[in-house]
Amino acid sequence: MNIMEDLRVNEPWSLKGELTLSCNCEVFCPCVLSLGKSAPTEGYCQTWAAVRIDEGHFGGTDLSGIKFGFMAEIPGRLGRGNWTVALFVDDKASAYQTKALTWIMTGRAGCSTALLKILAGSFLGVRQVPISYEMQGDTRVIKIEKIVDGAITPVRGKDKGNVVIRNSEYWISPDIIVSRADKSRFRLFGRNWNFEGRSAEICKLDWGSQKK
C-alpha cells in the first residue's frame, strides 16, 4: 500500500491540544499583537515549539496522543517570509501519522496552517525522535531527545492568575498565556540556541480544516 496514494492531502483534519513555544525575543514576542508586522525584539526570530495533541485526526488517521515539535528561523518580520523550518515527530507515530503531520506543518493541508506554505522558504525535513511534554505544576517541561531541553512557566498576574492576551488574531491561537523560559536549549542543524529568561508562549490549540 502506498501511503502517498492512500492518504490524501485534502483530507479533513483537526488538532486539539496545547502548544508551548520559546523564542529569542527579549521581553515578549511582538508578533502576537502585530500579527508579524513588527520586527522581533532582536530583529530576527529563532524559535522552537512543542505540541501535545489531545484529540486529532487527518481523514481516518487518528492523531490523538501524538506529540510533535518544530523549529523556525526567520530573518526579519514574520510576515515577510523566508522562514527556515523543521519538524520533529514523536517516535511512537506511525508512517500515516507522520505524513499527516508533515502535510499539516508544511501548510499543504491548508486552513489553520496554510500560511506556512507561503512563508516557509526552506524545509529542513522531518525527524522522528522521542518527545516528552509534561506538567510540573504550571511549568511545561519539554524534551525532544538531543534537540530541545525546555522548561516554560506562565507569567503571574496581579490576581495570582496568569497574564493572558485574549481574542487576538494570532495564527496559532487567539488566547496566549504570556510565559518565560526557565530553561530553553535547542541544538541541531549547526544551531546552538539558549533562550533562558526570554519570551515564551503557552496556548490551547484548536486547528483544522474547518478553521479560518
Side-chain angles (χ1 to χ4, degrees), residues 72-91:
E73 192 167 48
I74 304 164
R77 289 175 172 81
L78 271 67
R80 291 182 177 175
N82 201 26
W83 298 16
T84 296
V85 299
L87 178 64
F88 313 108
V89 177
D90 198 332
D91 65 341

Side-chain angles (χ1 to χ4, degrees), residues 3 5 20 134-135 155 192:
I3 291 173
E5 292 177 355
T20 294
E134 300 176 352
M135 297 275 292
V155 173
N192 184 18

Side-chain angles (χ1 to χ4, degrees), residues 92-114:
K92 299 179 181 64
S94 69
Y96 281 88
Q97 291 169 325
T98 300
K99 178 56 66 178
L101 289 171
T102 301
W103 278 339
I104 290 170
M105 292 308 297
T106 54
R108 292 185 63 197
C111 299
S112 296
T113 56

Side-chain angles (χ1 to χ4, degrees), residues 23-43:
C23 74
N24 66 321
C25 282
E26 191 171 2
V27 182
F28 182 69
C29 177
C31 301
V32 174
L33 294 178
S34 75
L35 307 180
K37 296 177 183 177
S38 294
T41 66
E42 304 300 287

Side-chain angles (χ1 to χ4, degrees), residues 27-180:
V27 182
F28 182 69
C29 177
C31 301
V32 174
L33 294 178
S34 75
L35 307 180
K37 296 177 183 177
S38 294
T41 66
E42 304 300 287
Y44 57 91
C45 175
Q46 298 170 331
T47 186
W48 62 262
V51 174
R52 182 195 69 219
I53 304 174
D54 298 327
E55 300 176 35
H57 69 90
F58 190 93
T61 300
D62 186 15
L63 300 175
S64 304
I66 296 298
K67 294 176 282 291
F68 70 91
F70 61 90
M71 62 77 69
E73 192 167 48
I74 304 164
R77 289 175 172 81
L78 271 67
R80 291 182 177 175
N82 201 26
W83 298 16
T84 296
V85 299
L87 178 64
F88 313 108
V89 177
D90 198 332
D91 65 341
K92 299 179 181 64
S94 69
Y96 281 88
Q97 291 169 325
T98 300
K99 178 56 66 178
L101 289 171
T102 301
W103 278 339
I104 290 170
M105 292 308 297
T106 54
R108 292 185 63 197
C111 299
S112 296
T113 56
L115 84 170
L116 296 174
K117 186 176 180 180
I118 299 168
L119 298 177
S122 177
F123 183 56
L124 301 180
V126 184
R127 296 196 181 197
Q128 278 197 260
V129 289
I131 300 175
S132 64
Y133 189 120
E134 300 176 352
M135 297 275 292
Q136 293 184 5
D138 286 338
T139 300
R140 278 64 168 177
V141 178
I142 310 295
K143 294 186 183 298
I144 301 177
E145 189 175 89
K146 297 181 180 179
I147 301 170
V148 168
D149 186 9
I152 308 300
T153 301
V155 173
R156 304 295 282 179
K158 184 177 181 180
D159 64 356
K160 296 185 179 180
N162 298 324
V163 176
V164 182
I165 294 173
R166 301 188 187 279
N167 198 33
S168 76
E169 293 185 4
Y170 189 42
W171 75 275
I172 293 178
S173 177
D175 300 332
I176 303 294
I177 301 173
V178 178
S179 305
R180 183 174 295 115

